[in-house]
Amino acid sequence: MGHPTRILSQKNLRFAWKFSRDSKGRGGAPGIDWLSPRKFGDEISSRIKRTNEKISKGNYSFRPLRPLLIEKSQSKLRLICVPTVEDRLVQRAIGMYLEEGDKLKIRNAVSYGFIRRKTLKEALTDGIRLRHQYPWVLKTDIISFFDKIDRQAVLQKFDARLPGSNLRPLIKAAIACEIMPGDTKVDAWLKNQEINKGIGLRQGMPLSPMLSNLFLEKFDKSIESSGIRMIRYADDIAFFLRARLKQMTQKTLLPTCFSRSNRRYHPSNLRIAKLKLQTLKNQWSSWACPAT
């Protein structure tokens, strides 16, 4: 199988750095080594050389993730898992390689976010266009999506798309990344949220969104082939309907759609309304996730 020396060459790592948030201004938050993006950038040539050498020898490994609890609303917290700057760089370079030519075959008509030319802006534009055609919008989300993703299923899908890829060990290692333990507040929060080791993809890693899209590709394709008009941005979903049909939607549409991917929607977050365009725009603007 060999090592992904060419994919993660010094040239490609430098290219990934150039287009990363970490290369601009203060960059993102530091990981568990507390090395800032600015410090990493000051030594970029030597650091990229060392990173490439570790990859060439097959001994590169991702470090545990630094947990960062941020306030999502007045009563809710959201956990962002922060990789080291070096790990972010390697994952971004892998992501850029996989994105080129859609090597994982995750592009489709219904999925937006973390896909080239399928950003929040495109989701908003297409959503407004669909609103002119479909007066009713059903919005919901997937229960504990990232935290309950089956890691083995993601790896199997990767193997099916790129059999024998020399990226497999690094993809497997990224999937298996866990939070650095020891913070009492974070540990208690994780227990309360039933976020367990060995399950899910940790939010904050550059590869997590792409791998989550790979996990849901069967769900996306089943919706696309059914003719139902839908826009999915990560775990947030909007169905566009010609009639209200709330009872039929709850009893038929949603259970049918979600059973195809063995996922569950969140009943408490179910919304169906004849929304104004500005309301839809404001709602979708909140779908953007904070980056690290």
Side-chain angles (χ1 to χ4, degrees):
M1 183 181 292
H3 307 302
T5 309
R6 187 172 298 178
I7 296 172
L8 298 176
S9 65
Q10 291 188 47
K11 178 182 177 181
N12 289 343
L13 289 171
R14 186 174 289 276
F15 186 74
W17 174 259
K18 179 181 178 181
F19 290 96
S20 73
R21 176 190 172 192
D22 285 331
S23 69
K24 300 168 180 64
R26 294 178 58 187
I32 63 167
D33 59 358
W34 291 101
L35 179 67
S36 70
R38 184 170 292 176
K39 177 66 173 176
F40 191 94
D42 289 342
E43 305 166 351
I44 191 63
S45 294
S46 60
R47 288 193 175 277
I48 281 180
K49 182 180 179 181
R50 288 200 294 270
T51 300
N52 177 257
E53 287 174 351
K54 287 187 285 186
I55 291 168
S56 300
K57 294 175 182 177
N59 58 13
Y60 187 89
S61 59
F62 295 117
R63 298 188 184 186
L65 306 163
R66 183 170 75 87
L68 185 62
L69 281 174
I70 61 175
E71 190 173 303
K72 186 176 180 180
S73 64
Q74 289 184 344
S75 59
K76 291 185 178 180
L77 294 174
R78 177 176 185 167
L79 178 70
I80 298 296
C81 306
V82 186
T84 64
V85 179
E86 183 182 36
D87 287 349
R88 295 203 291 266
L89 174 61
V90 171
Q91 289 198 28
R92 285 192 185 102
I94 293 173
M96 292 175 77
Y97 168 77
L98 294 175
E99 191 177 48
E100 189 67 36
D102 190 26
K103 292 180 177 66
L104 295 180
K105 308 299 180 190
I106 57 176
R107 289 190 68 88
N108 56 65
V110 301
S111 176
Y112 293 76
F114 320 108
I115 302 173
R116 187 177 299 178
R117 294 183 293 277
K118 297 275 284 185
T119 65
L120 180 63
K121 181 179 179 180
E122 280 73 31
L124 175 59
T125 300
D126 290 348
I128 291 175
R129 175 179 55 80
L130 287 171
R131 281 286 289 110
H132 284 294
Q133 302 172 38
Y134 299 86
W136 291 94
V137 178
L138 169 68
K139 184 181 181 296
T140 188
D141 58 45
I142 303 174
I143 294 177
S144 304
F145 174 53
F146 281 94
D147 299 326
K148 302 300 181 185
I149 287 177
D150 185 331
R151 294 180 175 183
Q152 190 59 35
V154 175
L155 191 58
Q156 288 173 355
K157 286 177 178 288
F158 178 85
D159 289 339
R161 294 290 185 274
L162 294 172
S165 172
N166 56 14
L167 282 174
R168 188 184 193 276
L170 287 175
I171 294 293
K172 183 178 181 180
I175 291 171
C177 273
E178 294 290 0
I179 298 163
M180 172 66 79
D183 186 312
T184 305
K185 181 180 179 180
V186 171
D187 291 345
W189 187 88
L190 291 172
K191 184 177 180 180
N192 184 59
Q193 297 296 313
E194 298 183 345
I195 299 176
N196 301 311
K197 287 185 177 181
I199 302 173
L201 296 176
R202 301 296 170 243
Q203 294 187 69
M205 298 190 300
L207 279 175
S208 290
M210 178 178 285
L211 294 175
S212 71
N213 281 332
L214 176 62
F215 181 71
L216 281 182
E217 57 90 22
K218 184 178 179 181
F219 170 74
D220 290 339
K221 288 180 179 178
S222 70
I223 297 295
E224 192 175 16
S225 62
S226 72
I228 299 168
R229 306 313 299 265
M230 180 189 86
I231 287 181
R232 180 179 67 79
Y233 192 93
D235 57 346
D236 284 292
I237 297 173
F239 293 96
F240 295 83
L241 310 169
R242 293 197 183 280
R244 193 168 190 273
L245 302 175
K246 182 170 183 179
Q247 188 175 23
M248 187 204 76
T249 299
Q250 287 182 273
K251 291 184 177 180
T252 306
L253 173 63
L254 289 178
T256 300
C257 292
F258 282 83
S259 66
R260 291 169 181 163
S261 63
N262 196 29
R263 309 305 294 171
R264 294 184 297 153
Y265 65 91
H266 207 305
S268 64
N269 289 348
L270 185 62
R271 300 288 185 273
I272 183 163
K274 202 167 187 177
L275 299 174
K276 296 179 180 179
L277 293 183
Q278 186 61 38
T279 303
L280 182 70
K281 181 176 181 179
N282 292 340
Q283 209 172 49
W284 282 13
S285 295
S286 68
W287 289 8
C289 300
T292 56

